[in-house]
Amino acid sequence: MKVRAAFLSAVRRFFKEESLCEVTPPCMVQTQVEGGSTLFKMDYYGEEAYLTQSSQLYLETCLPALGDVYCIQESFRAEKSHTRRHLSEYTHIESELAFITFEDLLDHLEKLITKTVQYVLEDPTAGPLVKQLNPGFVAPQMPFKRMEYIHALEWLNENGIPNEEGNPFKFGDDIAEAAERKMTDTIGVPILLTRFPVEIKSFYMKKCADDPRVTESVDVLMPTVGEITGGSMRIEDTEELLAGFKREGIDPKSYYWFIDQRVYGTCPHGGYGLGTERILAWMCNRFTVRDCSLYPRYTGRCKP
């Protein structure tokens, strides 16, 4: 918990240095961000509402008035995943950045992770604790290894690691946690895994200009823990965004406020979400993210 406090302080210090404005979006919402299957539903004065999966859409509305923004907010996922890296409630560090390119986004993520880890290790309380908990921890250095999704499939097939059906990977397959972790641990350095196929990514992700089959998306993978951050450039064209809603079978009616931003003018922008507990599990060498939350919430546990 002391390392966690130092880490969140380091994140805020980094964002202040980068001139980002902290905002506090709502946790009770009526829209989905990461797919309908993981929504916690609730009765909101007779209307159907949900606990938020992500504050991203609200952060995007802030860009025209506030510029680059971030939040440190709880997110909720009703997925019955009994893995080392899943929680039903977790502390989500999210940011949206205006007038950037995909390369700018990748550079920003590298800087965010290296700087915040540096600040934690320099902290007089947290630094020695990280060393005690994880004697072999090596702070990441820029630049991170960059690898495209298609090249990751080649690596997995060359190394005899099958997909979830036990077959060789093919374009369009999701790289499941076990295979992703095996690859990351074997390579042994932080990886920026980029350009995922449209069909396995969210409706709001921008397509690559040179290959419309893939998106300007990135997962940051760390040895021993796997994915700690996911991000992308966001669609800024109204018609392309509506096509994304249609592809995912989402009724755009509830998203009028989000779509209007494109109708009345937007800018190139991108953002990401970072799981606090996953970062801590990596830094402190914890077997599960449950050890990195004060009172972890997961399937079957909502007490004390």
Side-chain angles (χ1 to χ4, degrees):
M1 291 303 104
K2 287 183 176 180
V3 176
R4 181 185 172 103
F7 172 69
L8 292 175
S9 178
V11 167
R12 285 192 164 96
R13 174 180 167 185
F14 171 80
F15 285 141
K16 187 174 183 181
E17 290 169 351
E18 297 291 311
S19 301
L20 273 71
C21 179
E22 182 171 8
V23 295
T24 311
C27 282
M28 294 185 286
V29 301
Q30 290 188 303
T31 50
Q32 59 171 287
V33 183
E34 300 295 339
S37 63
T38 66
L39 288 167
F40 279 109
K41 293 184 180 178
M42 55 189 282
D43 179 356
Y44 189 75
Y45 304 113
E47 294 184 70
E48 188 175 86
Y50 319 105
L51 294 175
T52 187
Q53 299 164 313
S54 163
S55 296
Q56 177 201 319
L57 305 190
Y58 290 92
L59 289 179
E60 285 188 59
T61 67
C62 298
L63 292 178
L66 300 176
D68 299 343
V69 290
Y70 77 96
C71 71
I72 299 177
Q73 182 73 286
E74 299 305 288
S75 283
F76 305 85
R77 303 280 171 92
E79 53 188 325
K80 295 176 181 176
S81 298
H82 290 272
T83 77
R84 292 161 53 184
R85 64 181 195 178
H86 280 94
L87 289 168
S88 298
E89 176 184 4
Y90 65 99
T91 303
H92 208 175
I93 299 164
E94 296 183 271
S95 175
E96 291 294 318
L97 307 167
F99 295 105
I100 61 166
T101 65
F102 187 43
E103 280 301 312
D104 293 333
L105 179 64
L106 300 182
D107 292 343
H108 171 89
L109 284 168
E110 283 181 337
K111 194 174 177 184
L112 165 70
I113 292 164
T114 53
K115 280 286 190 184
T116 52
V117 169
Q118 175 195 325
Y119 296 155
V120 171
L121 296 179
E122 289 171 353
D123 183 89
T125 302
L129 286 171
V130 172
K131 194 165 186 179
Q132 177 188 330
L133 293 165
N134 191 2
F137 182 73
V138 178
Q141 301 295 316
M142 296 191 294
F144 292 179
K145 180 179 178 63
R146 301 190 182 195
M147 177 188 272
E148 292 187 16
Y149 163 89
I150 192 74
H151 299 140
L153 298 191
E154 292 168 5
W155 189 97
L156 291 163
N157 288 334
E158 286 167 6
N159 285 271
I161 299 169
N163 65 14
E164 286 196 290
E165 283 75 48
N167 301 317
F169 278 92
K170 62 185 185 302
F171 185 85
D173 284 350
D174 199 1
I175 303 174
E177 181 188 359
E180 179 186 86
R181 179 169 285 166
K182 179 74 173 170
M183 179 181 74
T184 311
D185 287 354
T186 303
I187 293 172
V189 296
I191 300 170
L192 294 172
L193 189 59
T194 62
R195 293 167 63 101
F196 290 87
V198 171
E199 58 265 29
I200 63 171
K201 283 297 180 181
S202 298
F203 67 87
Y204 51 75
M205 294 191 179
K206 189 174 181 177
K207 294 177 183 176
C208 293
D210 62 341
D211 185 354
R213 298 179 308 153
V214 296
T215 53
E216 290 189 327
S217 53
V218 57
D219 283 354
V220 182
L221 311 180
M222 287 293 174
T224 74
V225 75
E227 183 200 340
I228 58 170
T229 308
S232 76
M233 296 300 289
R234 315 310 194 190
I235 293 171
E236 63 209 67
D237 178 77
T238 310
E239 294 307 314
E240 189 181 343
L241 182 62
L242 290 171
F245 282 123
K246 188 174 182 181
R247 184 182 74 243
E248 298 298 322
I250 299 171
D251 184 355
K253 191 164 60 179
S254 299
Y255 297 81
Y256 66 92
W257 50 277
F258 186 67
I259 297 165
D260 276 357
Q261 293 170 71
R262 278 75 179 167
V263 173
Y264 296 109
T266 185
C267 66
H269 64 287
Y272 54 89
L274 189 154
T276 300
E277 292 80 8
R278 289 188 186 181
I279 282 260
L280 291 167
W282 164 61
M283 277 200 292
C284 298
N285 193 29
R286 300 298 88 190
F287 179 74
T288 169
V289 292
R290 295 176 187 180
D291 293 345
C292 304
S293 176
L294 181 60
Y295 294 112
R297 298 305 190 222
Y298 48 88
T299 315
R301 173 172 168 156
C302 196
K303 47 174 97 66

